[in-house]
């Protein structure tokens, strides 16, 4: 008798529990679906609002930057109709496409032009040398501030950012006069019976001017990155017996690597596309592509060739910018944002 009662009670309880467990997921699922739809709707609404808020600047950039770039690229490929018709009529030595088939005659002409190839080589060399000097000086100032500091470090950091507040035109004329035949250095050298080379209107003054204009931003970026390196990491490396240069190479530079890479890319792109410094201080030939581009457009009246030079500079800058994007992606990945 007891066994029968126990079996009935157990069966009833088991059936009730099983029914509840079986029914709850369905009820829970039925209740969850509206919430999922509600949250999904909010998410879509937030995305729509964000897109609408970002749409005006995107449309502005597309209208005043993107569309002219596409128009110029088509002109470089020989599409001289439509909005390119006027400049094609006025310009000289314009290569027209055959219907909808583009032509690369303008590119072929420029890459077989000895003047353009010489200016391209000069631009690449000046960019590499100027960038190397700027980053070396910025890293040196950053290391001094990190490991020594003091009054001299503050003076160095202050002097490094002074060019930021001096217009490039004024700085270019000052550099030109400073290294001219009757400039300050030759005058001082002549007082002691020495000679000093004339650097005005040479590639040397372009490098000096590029370093002058690019150093402030690179210094700010590199020094801030080095100051962010934890002092505990440096002390731990010293306690382990690492020398000064070992600490710099193995701890400071790797941890400040992303700001250094970003400063390098910004400096290289700035020097690559510079116009004022090479125009005022450089020689007539060879010269940087920025000046060459202006000469082809205004002096030679060859706008199609000027556009070709512009896209060559753009292609080089895009390659440099790829390094900048990689550095930003790595920084975001390390911070956990990606």
């Amino acid at each position: 008798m007891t066994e029968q009662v126990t079996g009935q009670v157990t069966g009833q309880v088991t059936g009730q529990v099983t029914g509840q467990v079986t029914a709850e997921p369905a009820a829970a699922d039925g209740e969850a679906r509206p919430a999922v739809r509600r949250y999904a709707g909010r998410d879509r609404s937030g995305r729509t609002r964000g897109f609408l808020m970002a749409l005006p600047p995107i449309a502005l950039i597309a209208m005043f930057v993107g569309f002219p770039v596409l128009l110029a690229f088509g002109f470089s490929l020989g599409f001289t109709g439509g909005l390119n018709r006027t400049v094609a009529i006025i310009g000289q030595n314009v290569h027209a496409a055959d219907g909808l088939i583009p032509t690369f005659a303008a590119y072929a002409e420029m890459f077989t032009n000895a003047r353009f190839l010489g200016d391209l080589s000069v631009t690449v060399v000046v960019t590499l040398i100027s960038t190397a000097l700027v980053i070396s000086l910025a890293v040196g100032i950053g290391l001094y501030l990190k490991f020594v500091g003091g009054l001299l470090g503050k003076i160095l950091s202050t002097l490094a950012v002074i060019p930021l507040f001096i217009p490039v035109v004024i700085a270019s004329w000052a550099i030109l006069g400073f290294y001219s035949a009757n400039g300050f250095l030759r005058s001082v050298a002549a007082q002691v019976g020495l000679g000093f080379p004339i650097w005005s209107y040479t590639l040397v003054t372009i490098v000096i001017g590029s370093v002058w204009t690019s150093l402030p931003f690179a210094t700010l970026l590199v020094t801030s990155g080095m100051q962010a390196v934890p002092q505990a990491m440096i002390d731990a490396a010293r306690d382990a017996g690492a020398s000064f240069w070992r600490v710099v190479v193995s701890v400071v530079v790797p941890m400040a690597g992303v700001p250094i890479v970003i400063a390098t890319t910004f400096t290289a792109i700035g020097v690559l596309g510079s116009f004022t410094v090479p125009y005022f201080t450089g020689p007539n030939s060879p010269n940087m592509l920025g000046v060459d581009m202006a000469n082809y457009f205004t002096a030679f009246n060859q706008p199609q060739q000027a556009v070709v030079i512009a896209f060559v500079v753009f292609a080089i800058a895009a390659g440099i910018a790829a390094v900048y994007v990689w550095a930003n992606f790595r920084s975001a990945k390390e911070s956990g944002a990606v």
Side-chain angles (χ1 to χ4, degrees):
M1 186 66 178
T2 304
E3 294 178 356
Q4 292 179 356
V5 174
T6 304
Q8 291 176 0
V9 173
T10 304
Q12 290 176 0
V13 174
T14 305
Q16 291 176 0
V17 173
T18 304
Q20 291 176 359
V21 173
T22 306
E24 284 178 0
D29 185 50
E31 293 175 358
R33 284 174 184 168
V36 171
R37 295 194 191 99
R38 185 166 61 251
Y39 292 141
R42 291 179 181 176
D43 187 41
R44 285 194 295 269
S45 177
R47 291 178 182 176
T48 303
R49 285 196 300 269
F51 175 75
L52 291 177
M53 292 177 64
L55 185 60
I58 293 175
L60 195 67
I61 293 174
M63 182 180 299
F64 292 101
V65 178
F67 180 71
V69 168
L70 293 177
L71 199 66
F73 184 65
F75 182 60
S76 70
L77 296 178
F79 296 106
T80 57
L83 296 177
N84 290 327
R85 179 173 176 79
T86 302
V87 68
I89 293 175
I90 297 175
Q92 298 180 359
N93 195 21
V94 176
H95 303 275
D98 186 9
L100 297 177
I101 302 176
T103 177
F104 294 92
Y107 288 89
E109 176 188 351
M110 295 307 298
F111 278 97
T112 55
N113 188 332
R115 174 191 174 92
F116 169 74
L117 295 177
D119 292 341
L120 177 61
S121 302
V122 165
T123 301
V124 173
V125 172
V126 169
T127 300
L128 292 176
I129 294 175
S130 302
T131 304
L133 289 175
V134 168
I135 300 304
S136 299
L137 291 173
V139 170
I141 295 173
L143 290 175
Y144 192 90
L145 287 174
K146 183 66 176 177
F147 289 95
V148 180
L151 180 61
L152 182 58
K154 293 180 181 179
I155 293 175
L156 285 175
S157 60
T158 302
L159 291 176
V161 299
I162 283 178
L164 195 64
F165 306 98
I166 299 177
V168 180
V169 176
I170 297 176
S172 299
W173 280 111
I175 291 172
L176 192 66
F178 195 77
Y179 297 102
S180 63
N182 56 352
F184 176 77
L185 292 181
R186 283 184 60 85
S187 299
V188 172
Q191 297 299 319
V192 294
L194 299 177
F196 192 87
I198 302 174
W199 285 344
S200 295
Y201 300 109
T202 64
L203 297 179
V204 177
T205 50
I206 297 180
V207 173
I208 295 173
S210 299
V211 172
W212 169 271
T213 56
S214 303
L215 185 60
F217 178 77
T219 301
L220 292 174
L221 197 58
V222 172
T223 52
S224 63
M226 289 188 173
Q227 291 298 323
V229 176
Q231 185 64 35
M233 299 290 293
I234 298 175
D235 294 338
R238 286 174 171 173
D239 292 341
S243 62
F244 169 76
W245 292 111
R246 186 66 177 177
V247 172
V248 171
V249 174
S250 301
V251 178
V252 179
V253 172
M255 297 192 70
V258 173
I260 293 175
V261 171
I262 294 175
T264 303
T265 55
F266 270 73
T267 302
I269 292 176
V271 176
L272 179 68
S274 61
F275 172 80
T276 305
V277 171
Y279 179 77
F280 283 110
T281 65
N284 291 328
S285 182
N287 210 320
M288 303 279 285
L289 287 182
V291 179
D292 208 20
M293 191 189 315
N295 289 335
Y296 270 93
F297 191 83
T298 58
F300 305 154
N301 191 24
Q302 297 184 11
Q304 192 177 42
Q305 287 70 20
V307 172
V308 170
I309 297 174
F311 276 99
V312 170
V313 175
F314 175 77
I316 300 174
I320 300 173
V323 181
Y324 168 75
V325 173
W326 168 82
N328 275 336
F329 178 78
R330 179 182 175 184
S331 177
K333 189 175 181 180
E334 290 177 352
S335 63
V338 178

